[in-house]
Amino acid sequence: TGALRRRPALRWLLEEHHTVRGRGIWVLQKSLVAKASTALAAGGRLVYATCSVDRRENEGVAEAFEESAGVDFEMWTFPEGTPGAREAPRWRHCRQMLPHVHSTDGFFMARWRRE
């Protein structure tokens, strides 16, 4: 969904784009983040990024990871003033770039550090 600004015709393909073997692509993304997190040593950093503005692919995947990761991971926040950085304490480790705000495609990023 992040590239709709440049390719508006993609909106008609979203249903196909958002499925992998009949499941929402965010199901696969949740699995990938969980598997990637197991490869990190203490102090390792995990970045989850999409070129999407879809909440299910972005905040939904980040929330699912945080629920399953427990205390092993902490939020790796962005410095204050970072373009697209969230101000709410719950989302300070996330960044959302929006076409109508940042004159770019839509992007999302969430970051964590393994303790």
Side-chain angles (χ1 to χ4, degrees), residues 23-87:
R23 297 182 306 166
I25 195 160
W26 50 90
V27 174
L28 173 62
Q29 291 166 318
K30 288 177 186 179
S31 173
L32 292 172
V33 172
K35 287 180 183 176
S37 73
T38 64
L40 292 178
R45 297 172 184 211
L46 176 63
V47 176
Y48 171 69
T50 70
C51 57
S52 175
V53 296
D54 189 318
R55 182 169 169 29
R56 296 170 294 185
E57 289 183 72
N58 298 337
E59 293 92 338
V61 172
E63 287 174 336
F65 172 70
E66 290 166 7
E67 289 172 9
S68 67
V71 297
D72 290 342
F73 287 85
E74 66 178 358
M75 295 177 185
W76 174 23
T77 60
F78 285 95
E80 194 170 317
T82 300
R86 301 283 181 85
E87 294 181 16

Side-chain angles (χ1 to χ4, degrees), residues 1-6 14 51-54 97 99 104-107:
T1 58
L4 288 176
R5 176 179 69 95
R6 288 181 294 118
L14 284 180
C51 57
S52 175
V53 296
D54 189 318
M97 303 298 285
T104 184
D105 288 346
F107 296 101

